[in-house]
Amino acid sequence: MAYTQPAFAQEKRGVIPHAPLLRTAVPDTANQEVAVYHVEYEPGGTNPRHLHPAAITFHILSGTGIWQEEGKPPVTLRAGDSLLVPAGTTHAHWNPSATEKLRFLEFIVAEKDKGRSIPKPLKD
């Protein structure tokens, strides 16, 4: 599977670390939590192949980003766009701009401490 993202992107580059805006238990569940993150990618920032054990929804606040699920063509998202990536789906996303930051929200509902990403090598 060939991704169209920059080939050098074997690690997160140009991604501003982020703490959750919200992280709380889901009422009336045994061990579920919801987390919301505000993420910024510098121009050219990338998050290479990875997956999440839970479904994740992305909502673009500003800039333009490209998301690509394994086996599918890339999708360009702009301010106001949202995308759901199903649990366990290998994907990558990046900021193609040379000048603008990409800002988006991530929404994750998962088993406690199980929603963050798991890196995947370029070839399994």
Side-chain angles (χ1 to χ4, degrees):
M1 156 86 220
Y3 283 92
T4 57
Q5 82 179 80
F8 64 83
Q10 281 297 292
E11 60 188 61
K12 287 186 180 183
R13 295 175 188 254
V15 179
I16 297 171
H18 52 284
L21 297 174
L22 171 71
R23 188 171 183 177
T24 189
V26 176
D28 302 321
T29 65
N31 195 26
Q32 296 284 303
E33 70 179 1
V34 61
V36 179
Y37 295 87
H38 175 252
V39 183
E40 286 188 3
Y41 283 23
E42 294 291 337
T46 186
N47 193 348
R49 286 181 83 224
H50 64 283
L51 61 86
H52 302 265
I56 182 167
T57 300
F58 299 95
H59 179 77
I60 309 305
L61 298 173
S62 65
T64 298
I66 299 176
W67 270 253
Q68 186 171 20
E69 293 180 22
E70 193 162 72
K72 294 185 178 179
V75 175
T76 300
L77 301 176
R78 293 177 177 80
D81 291 340
S82 296
L83 177 71
L84 172 69
V85 175
T89 302
T90 299
H91 65 285
H93 39 95
W94 60 96
N95 179 357
S97 176
T99 58
E100 281 187 49
K101 285 185 181 180
L102 167 63
R103 294 177 46 243
F104 58 93
L105 297 175
E106 296 178 350
F107 300 88
I108 305 170
V109 178
E111 186 178 329
K112 188 173 178 11
D113 298 321
K114 303 286 183 179
R116 299 307 293 155
S117 66
I118 299 169
K120 302 263 304 193
L122 277 179
K123 292 188 177 198
D124 291 332

